[in-house]
Amino acid sequence: MQGSDSFRLVVRRGPQPNQVYDLNKDIVTLGRDITNDIVINDPECSRHHLRITRGAGGFTLEDLGSTNGTFVNGQRLTGARPLRPGDMVGLGETVTLAYEMSAGAGAPASDAPGMTAPSAASQARPMSPPPYAPPSYAPQSPPPPSYGGYSPAPGQPAYNAPQPAVQPPAAGYDYDPYAVREEEPRNTTRLVLIGCGVASLLCCCGTIGGAFLIDQLCLWDRIPLMWDVLRALGYSVNCPV
């Protein structure tokens, strides 16, 4: 184990995701009880679940007889096992911890894998501006001709232009070609009165003519009701025998 390196456990799945626990002691205990160095408050975790011991090449993991077991990379732990960076430690079925190695605080950033420090020549060299490129302007086609505010569509001939609008009539001429003329209501009352008068006149003429005809033919006695009314009024009818 390098002196400038340190190890830690990171919660990947459990009650506090992304929680980091630094292994800064020679013996670190983990469990649900608050007397442990690392407390995991989860039902799958026993009160005293496991113990991590520092060795010459790193840390060694040992299960403390937990109820739900301790797993390393999916395999249940039966004895002490050395840990390697990248191992996944499972507590039961709901808690997963990642065993990782973090670089020391005093290590320079250029020592990290995949990172190289920039050279002094590249730092002192000024950046030259990009070459100037003149802007390009695309030629624009002239707009299509318009006919009385109407522009034909592309590919449409100009002879399909609409006809000019209807000019309004001269002043003093009250004519609206779009106005809807209302039909004057007919005087039906006068026609009804005329019909009633004609019917009444015809009835009167018919009544007078019928009475005159009955009187000339002496037919009063053949009308029982009318004959009784005339006798009661004292009207005498002299008809030839």
Side-chain angles (χ1 to χ4, degrees):
M1 182 182 66
Q2 300 179 2
S4 60
D5 295 334
S6 61
F7 296 90
R8 62 184 182 179
L9 292 177
V10 181
V11 180
R12 299 303 181 188
R13 186 178 63 173
Q16 294 179 340
N18 301 324
Q19 178 69 31
V20 178
Y21 299 101
D22 293 326
L23 303 178
N24 50 13
K25 297 175 62 177
D26 293 338
I27 298 177
V28 178
T29 58
L30 184 149
R32 196 175 69 250
D33 195 89
I34 60 176
T35 59
N36 293 280
D37 298 313
I38 298 175
V39 179
I40 303 295
N41 190 10
D42 189 87
E44 292 287 326
C45 184
S46 300
R47 296 183 58 188
H48 300 280
H49 200 99
L50 57 87
R51 178 173 55 236
I52 301 175
T53 305
R54 187 193 301 270
F59 284 89
T60 302
L61 180 65
E62 182 182 1
D63 186 80
L64 298 178
S66 61
T67 303
N68 297 314
T70 302
F71 300 83
V72 177
N73 298 329
Q75 297 181 357
R76 185 156 186 167
L77 190 65
T78 56
R81 174 170 176 172
L83 291 176
R84 292 176 297 178
D87 286 345
M88 304 300 294
V89 180
L91 309 179
E93 297 181 355
T94 59
V95 180
T96 302
L97 307 176
Y99 178 73
E100 298 179 356
M101 181 178 64
S102 60
S110 59
D111 294 342
M115 298 293 293
T116 58
S119 61
S122 62
Q123 293 180 356
R125 183 184 304 170
M127 298 182 62
S128 59
Y132 173 76
S136 59
Y137 300 95
Q140 298 182 357
S141 57
S146 59
Y147 302 89
Y150 168 78
S151 298
Q156 183 179 4
Y159 55 79
N160 288 335
Q163 298 296 329
V166 179
Q167 297 295 333
Y173 184 73
D174 190 8
Y175 172 74
D176 188 0
Y178 302 101
V180 180
R181 293 184 175 274
E182 298 181 357
E183 186 178 358
E184 296 181 358
R186 297 179 181 179
N187 195 354
T188 56
T189 305
R190 184 174 59 181
L191 297 178
V192 171
L193 293 177
I194 294 176
C196 293
V198 173
S200 301
L201 183 60
L202 292 177
C203 291
C204 293
C205 293
T207 303
I208 296 174
F212 180 76
L213 183 60
I214 292 173
D215 185 67
Q216 293 296 325
L217 297 178
C218 293
L219 299 177
W220 298 106
D221 55 348
R222 297 188 181 182
I223 305 176
L225 182 59
M226 185 62 68
W227 178 252
D228 294 338
V229 172
L230 293 176
R231 291 181 59 185
L233 295 175
Y235 180 76
S236 59
V237 180
N238 296 324
C239 296
V241 180

